[in-house]
């Protein structure tokens, strides 16, 4: 079992920045790929970014490419999502997830999420 807890969300003006954190506990964090997802009210959950176990490979949704950066510190059992140049359409509940399988596999563990609200 892996427990994930997100933090760092909040209210920010368009053009601003936030850094989300995802702290893991329970199992060896470096054994899991980590992804960030978001869900806006009334919409389906969307993929945002993912990072492989050793942090050397990352993937992004086209909508955030060039603005968001995913990273991880396995020594701190933490993954991050640096979000720059935020837009009102980035407003959503952001959740991190972990998988012990390939990053294309369904994620096994999920956090509760942290709310990000971007005002225009």
């Amino acid at each position: 079992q892996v427990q994930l807890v997100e933090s760092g969300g909040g209210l920010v003006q368009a053009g601003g920045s936030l850094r989300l954190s995802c702290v893991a506990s329970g199992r060896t964090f470096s054994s899991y790929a980590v992804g960030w997802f978001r869900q806006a009210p009334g919409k389906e959950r969307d993929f945002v970014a993912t990072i492989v176990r050793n942090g050397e490979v990352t993937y992004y949704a086209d909508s955030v490419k060039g603005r968001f950066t995913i990273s991880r510190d396995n020594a701190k059992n933490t993954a991050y999502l640096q979000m720059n140049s935020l837009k009102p359409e980035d407003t959503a509940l952001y959740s991190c997830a972990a998988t012990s399988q390939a990053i294309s596999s369904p994620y096994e563990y999920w956090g509760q999420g942290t709310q990000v609200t971007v005002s225009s």
Side-chain angles (χ1 to χ4, degrees):
Q1 283 279 39
V2 175
Q3 292 79 42
L4 303 172
V5 179
E6 303 94 336
S7 63
L11 174 63
V12 64
Q13 289 188 333
S17 298
L18 285 173
R19 188 176 81 155
L20 307 184
S21 298
C22 171
V23 179
S25 61
R27 290 285 184 94
T28 306
F29 182 61
S30 58
S31 299
Y32 296 86
V34 176
W36 284 96
F37 297 79
R38 65 186 183 186
Q39 186 169 20
K43 295 187 177 181
E44 294 186 353
R45 184 168 58 199
D46 290 331
F47 165 77
V48 175
T50 189
I51 187 166
V52 299
R53 295 172 183 80
N54 62 8
E56 292 184 357
V57 178
T58 58
Y59 297 96
Y60 297 91
D62 288 342
S63 59
V64 307
K65 204 171 293 183
R67 300 187 299 123
F68 290 11
T69 302
I70 189 171
S71 62
R72 65 189 297 162
D73 184 341
N74 286 341
K76 295 183 178 180
N77 290 348
T78 303
Y80 304 97
L81 185 68
Q82 177 67 44
M83 306 186 296
N84 298 329
S85 302
L86 283 162
K87 305 175 181 179
E89 52 263 43
D90 294 319
T91 295
L93 181 69
Y94 284 72
S95 301
C96 65
T99 178
S100 59
Q101 308 301 316
I103 57 175
S104 57
S105 302
Y107 284 76
E108 301 158 81
Y109 304 102
W110 291 83
Q112 294 297 310
T114 185
Q115 179 66 38
V116 172
T117 303
V118 184
S119 62
S120 56

